[in-house]
Amino acid sequence: MASEENKHIWNFFRYGGIDQVELSSAEDLTKLNELDPKLWAAMTCPVSNVDYDKQTLTYLDTDGDKRIKIPEIIAGVNWISSILKDPASIRKPEEDLPLDKINENSEEGKALLSTAKQVLFNLGKEDAKSISLADLASTQKIFAATAFN
């Protein structure tokens, strides 16, 4: 647990008659593991019937129970924070992931960068500075020109 002088300061807002934590910075997201579960607006979230990207929600549902729980959110934030050089990138979604934003100092970041470069190479885009979901969409295209596909 964080000491009192290093404890994160949370801001709250009132919505629907309930006080809720305001997640307005990357630090707020990276400190979610310090937030008392009683202060979360919800303990779980369904994977379906939510106005959010279903594929992202499915990735977060690591135990496959069709519900996203607090530890899964925290694990997701920790993972994305470890593979990006600047966790503030979480707050600024982009269409493509610039390769120079990937953190090569973590093992998963190194693996991600290596994979992204290999995919781009296989697609004939070896000079690309970023990778997109469209680049990853077709495994057929990615592996068509490789020697052992």
Side-chain angles (χ1 to χ4, degrees):
M1 188 99 187
S3 65
E4 287 301 316
E5 65 268 1
N6 292 331
K7 200 163 191 151
H8 184 67
I9 297 177
W10 298 97
N11 294 309
F12 293 83
F13 66 98
R14 192 161 192 76
Y15 182 78
I18 300 170
D19 290 329
Q20 297 183 34
V21 173
E22 182 177 349
L23 300 175
S24 59
S25 70
E27 185 179 11
D28 290 337
L29 291 172
T30 60
K31 298 293 184 174
L32 277 174
N33 62 327
E34 297 176 11
L35 182 63
D36 188 326
K38 292 180 289 214
L39 298 175
W40 285 63
M43 300 299 280
T44 67
C45 170
V47 172
S48 59
N49 298 325
V50 178
D51 187 22
Y52 196 78
D53 180 58
K54 185 173 171 51
Q55 192 170 16
T56 301
L57 294 174
T58 301
Y59 287 137
L60 285 170
D61 181 21
T62 56
D63 62 6
D65 68 352
K66 307 286 187 232
R67 314 254 341 133
I68 299 167
K69 294 168 285 309
I70 293 171
E72 292 169 316
I73 295 288
I74 292 170
V77 169
N78 289 343
W79 176 78
I80 200 78
S81 295
S82 76
I83 63 163
L84 295 176
K85 289 179 181 174
D86 179 13
S89 300
I90 298 170
R91 305 268 313 149
K92 299 175 234 150
E94 297 181 48
E95 203 53 41
D96 297 350
L97 174 62
L99 299 180
D100 64 356
K101 287 191 176 185
I102 299 173
N103 180 8
E104 295 179 79
N105 294 324
S106 76
E107 286 303 314
E108 288 184 314
K110 276 185 210 174
L112 176 64
L113 184 59
S114 174
T115 301
K117 286 180 177 179
Q118 184 64 53
V119 166
L120 292 168
F121 178 82
N122 290 357
L123 294 173
K125 298 179 173 183
E126 51 273 352
D127 295 329
K129 302 291 183 210
S130 64
I131 191 164
S132 69
L133 285 175
D135 293 328
L136 300 168
S138 173
T139 53
Q140 257 185 334
K141 286 182 185 176
I142 294 170
F143 295 110
T146 60
F148 301 103
N149 63 10

